[in-house]
Amino acid sequence: MIELDIVKNDDMEMLLKDISHLYGYDFTQYSKASLKRRLNRICMLDKFASFAELRYRLIHDGAYLSRFIEEITVNVTEMFRDPHFYATLRHHILPILGTYPFIRIWVAGCSTGEEAYSLAILLKETNLFEKTLIYATDINPSVLEKASKSIFPLNQMKQYSRNYILSGGEKDFSSYYVSMYDVAKFHSGLSSKMIFSTHNLVSDSSFNEFQLILCRNVLIYFDKDLQNKVFKLFDDSLQPFGFLALGAKETLRFSNIEQRYKQWNEDRIWKKIS
Amino acid sequence: MMNRKTTEILLIGGSAGSISVLLEVLPHLNDHLSFPIMVVVHRKAHPESILEGLLGFRSRLPVEEAYDKMTLKANYIYLVPADYHLLFENKQMVSLDCSEKVNYSRPSIDVTFQSAAQIYMKHTVALLLSGANTDGLEGLRYIAQQQGTVLVQDPDTAEIAYMPQQALLNLQVDTVLKPEEMASFINQLSTNY
Ligand SMILES: C[S@@+](CC[C@H](N)C(=O)[O-])C[C@H]1O[C@@H](n2cnc3c(N)ncnc32)[C@H](O)[C@@H]1O
């Protein structure tokens, strides 16, 4: 089903300004078309008969904000999403990072953590796990809460296992978790090198220097100006010769930092060269 | 009769059995259309690069995969990439979105059709091809509500008739087209001759 369209563009602008003023979450530079769908969706889910009702609730009930952030963001993710990308990490990028004494990786917009766990598995298999820290951040605290639990739906495992094998994994994928009822509980060792924290790419600043930053399928939700602002943040957070990895349909081309980065073959990975 | 409103976007949606129709129609399109064409097809088995090449080879118009925040150009054919929904930000710019599947599909035809109708209103033209599900039906309904133009493939000519049939059963369709009629119909929507 597609949602009804009860949200007008002007109403949306007004609401976003309210939220920014009242709560400090600035969504005004998000892609409008997607945001509009999410707003229509939340009106349907929470049974607001009109957009005005949603606005009233948001303005007068501070506790509703977290629900709003949860539903307005798109948290869809997978383990080993785009297997070819993980194959490149495994065979080309991680061996380069392995020459450093200590590796710091930032997964920005990590959602429920599937990407971070995929990385942890790769690091285990390339024997780099012990000297690595994975910083996994998101704007939405509730996905981070889930991510830290190492528990994922069991019915996804068939697909994740397929992705894992396509990405060059040679083990039995099920050796990384135990099945309990309808969930897969991943071994706690995997999350021992992960640090989960909220971080808003729109308003928070650089907090460390990394050799690898993954920010996949987050920038599609931002308009071009905001994309450039976030690229600047990543540029400030990357060590010289560090790598920036984007989603399958995202690019550094046409961005303000393009000239100082070199793309890794056809992959969505860029190396900082100056 | 229906050509009083200029066409600003042509959407083509299809599922099983739609690629062969595209391959038949594309070679006969004018290469100076006054609007862009956005193609949404379900294609589990086809990695996009293959489809892009396949259609590009048959077409005189350039065929490109749509990318995020891309600027639309008239006389181009764009393919929605696998695993993303495509939305219109305004008349010139699209964005991608990897949110939940709609009708078990990503890309979903409904999602792109609805988004187009919100932006181009009555200047939207959409053509629904062969397929085995109802993705596209709600999108067409939405386009009709905005006074856009609704076209469907003649179910008798469709490899899988279900999708166009459902449209005919449930909606006011402007024109039913056989594959061999599609190119000339599309060409006459253009204001460039
Ligand atoms: C579609 S998910 C991508 C998940 C994962 N990176 C992947 O590619 O599978 C997008 C994530 O970006 C997060 N996000 C959206 N806006 C953000 C912001 N301003 N700062 C940090 N994260 C944000 C959302 O909460 C969501 O979890």
Side-chain angles (χ1 to χ4, degrees):
Chain A
M1 267 302 287
I2 52 179
E3 282 91 36
L4 291 170
D5 183 26
I6 63 171
V7 179
K8 301 280 161 293
N9 288 340
D10 295 348
D11 293 345
M12 179 161 79
E13 300 292 338
M14 195 166 62
L15 181 82
L16 298 182
K17 289 211 179 88
D18 290 341
I19 295 172
S20 179
H21 288 150
L22 281 171
Y23 302 112
Y25 282 98
D26 185 358
F27 294 106
T28 56
Q29 289 186 285
Y30 275 49
S31 306
K32 293 290 173 294
S34 161
L35 206 51
K36 202 170 174 198
R37 283 187 74 222
R38 298 311 273 184
L39 288 171
N40 277 309
R41 181 170 170 275
I42 199 170
C43 286
M44 189 188 70
L45 289 175
D46 291 352
K47 305 199 168 52
F48 295 114
S50 69
F51 190 69
E53 281 182 35
L54 168 66
R55 181 160 178 249
Y56 185 89
R57 179 77 184 268
L58 263 168
I59 293 174
H60 294 96
D61 178 5
Y64 186 71
L65 181 74
S66 60
R67 161 81 184 161
F68 181 78
I69 304 273
E70 262 168 57
E71 293 305 328
I72 217 73
T73 53
V74 171
N75 304 122
V76 175
T77 185
E78 275 173 38
M79 286 193 184
F80 294 96
R81 188 181 200 166
D82 311 318
H84 186 263
F85 165 74
Y86 283 94
T88 304
L89 282 187
R90 179 193 293 271
H91 298 301
H92 302 287
I93 308 299
L94 292 184
I96 298 174
L97 300 190
T99 61
Y100 293 97
F102 187 72
I103 305 171
R104 272 188 304 266
I105 301 176
W106 179 14
V107 185
C110 67
S111 189
T112 38
E114 282 80 343
E115 225 170 15
Y117 284 83
S118 308
L119 265 176
I121 289 172
L122 279 188
L123 290 162
K124 283 263 183 205
E125 295 185 0
T126 49
N127 293 320
L128 299 172
F129 187 78
E130 292 307 326
K131 64 169 175 177
T132 304
L133 274 182
I134 300 172
Y135 293 74
T137 65
D138 203 282
I139 190 179
N140 176 357
S142 82
V143 288
L144 294 171
E145 168 79 26
K146 279 194 192 142
S148 65
K149 294 205 166 108
S150 310
I151 292 174
F152 301 96
L154 192 61
N155 60 15
Q156 298 291 317
M157 291 305 135
K158 224 164 105 186
Q159 151 127 47
Y160 294 173
S161 167
R162 210 180 308 132
N163 286 355
Y164 164 77
I165 290 163
L166 284 172
S167 79
E170 290 174 350
K171 296 210 170 154
D172 183 354
F173 189 64
S174 64
S175 67
Y176 286 107
Y177 61 84
V178 288
S179 317
M180 294 186 309
Y181 305 102
D182 54 352
V183 300
K185 169 115 180 71
F186 279 67
H187 298 313
S188 58
L190 284 177
S191 61
S192 63
K193 296 288 190 171
M194 296 178 193
I195 297 165
F196 295 102
S197 167
T198 53
H199 181 281
N200 185 346
L201 292 167
V202 178
S203 49
D204 292 335
S205 47
S206 176
F207 59 95
N208 214 325
E209 262 213 334
F210 301 91
Q211 286 104 348
L212 171 62
I213 298 175
L214 278 76
C215 184
R216 304 174 70 224
N217 301 305
V218 180
L219 295 167
I220 48 177
Y221 296 103
F222 299 170
D223 73 15
K224 281 203 159 186
D225 288 340
L226 183 55
Q227 287 181 355
N228 270 315
K229 194 178 148 195
V230 175
F231 283 140
K232 167 91 171 52
L233 170 68
F234 291 152
D235 192 37
D236 291 341
S237 311
L238 262 185
Q239 198 171 290
F241 307 111
F243 295 92
L244 175 61
L246 303 179
K249 301 296 161 195
E250 293 162 333
T251 182
L252 261 199
R253 272 187 74 202
F254 319 120
S255 78
N256 294 344
I257 61 167
E258 170 181 13
Q259 318 77 282
R260 291 183 294 103
Y261 284 74
K262 191 174 181 310
Q263 190 169 4
W264 191 274
N265 299 328
E266 298 285 283
D267 291 297
R268 300 289 157 165
I269 301 175
W270 282 262
K271 182 175 189 173
K272 183 174 180 174
I273 50 173
S274 72
Chain B
M1 164 192 76
M2 49 166 284
N3 248 340
R4 299 283 80 89
K5 31 192 184 191
T6 50
T7 300
E8 294 183 342
I9 185 90
L10 170 65
L11 311 161
I12 303 180
S15 192
S18 63
I19 306 284
S20 59
V21 180
L22 288 171
L23 289 174
E24 179 178 343
V25 173
L26 296 192
H28 303 292
L29 292 180
N30 273 344
D31 63 353
H32 43 271
L33 295 177
S34 53
F35 46 81
I37 300 179
M38 185 61 71
V39 177
V40 200
V41 284
H42 301 155
R43 54 200 153 106
K44 277 221 177 68
H46 297 275
E48 55 271 44
S49 48
I50 297 179
L51 189 59
E52 197 183 328
L54 195 67
L55 298 181
F57 184 69
R58 289 292 196 101
S59 163
R60 280 186 285 168
L61 282 66
V63 176
E64 275 185 14
E65 190 184 80
Y67 58 90
D68 182 52
K69 306 294 169 329
M70 175 186 82
T71 305
L72 292 164
K73 288 180 283 210
N75 204 39
Y76 269 70
I77 299 174
Y78 300 103
L79 295 178
V80 178
D83 233 9
Y84 290 84
H85 296 304
L86 180 131
L87 303 168
F88 293 86
E89 289 295 313
N90 52 48
K91 286 187 177 178
Q92 281 80 41
M93 193 194 277
V94 298
S95 59
L96 298 177
D97 170 20
C98 63
S99 60
E100 297 78 2
K101 291 182 180 181
V102 173
N103 308 317
Y104 308 100
S105 308
R106 194 176 48 225
S108 148
I109 301 168
D110 276 345
V111 167
T112 297
F113 280 17
Q114 184 188 35
S115 174
Q118 288 168 352
I119 298 290
Y120 301 96
M121 311 294 286
K122 67 175 183 194
H123 304 287
T124 315
V125 180
L127 167 62
L128 193 65
L129 303 177
S130 165
N133 54 43
T134 57
D135 187 26
L137 187 63
E138 288 306 312
L140 283 185
R141 191 194 307 279
Y142 197 86
I143 290 168
Q145 280 165 8
Q146 315 299 315
Q147 268 81 58
T149 303
V150 171
L151 313 170
V152 300
Q153 179 176 359
D154 180 347
D156 292 341
T157 68
E159 212 172 296
I160 311 221
Y162 186 75
M163 206 143 123
Q165 224 155 38
Q166 285 301 310
L168 282 172
L169 282 173
N170 290 287
L171 310 169
Q172 187 70 39
V173 171
D174 291 290
T175 310
V176 180
L177 294 166
K178 298 184 184 2
E180 63 265 29
E181 300 165 340
M182 289 176 185
S184 59
F185 190 95
I186 294 169
N187 289 336
Q188 57 84 33
L189 292 172
S190 174
T191 52
N192 303 335
Y193 278 96

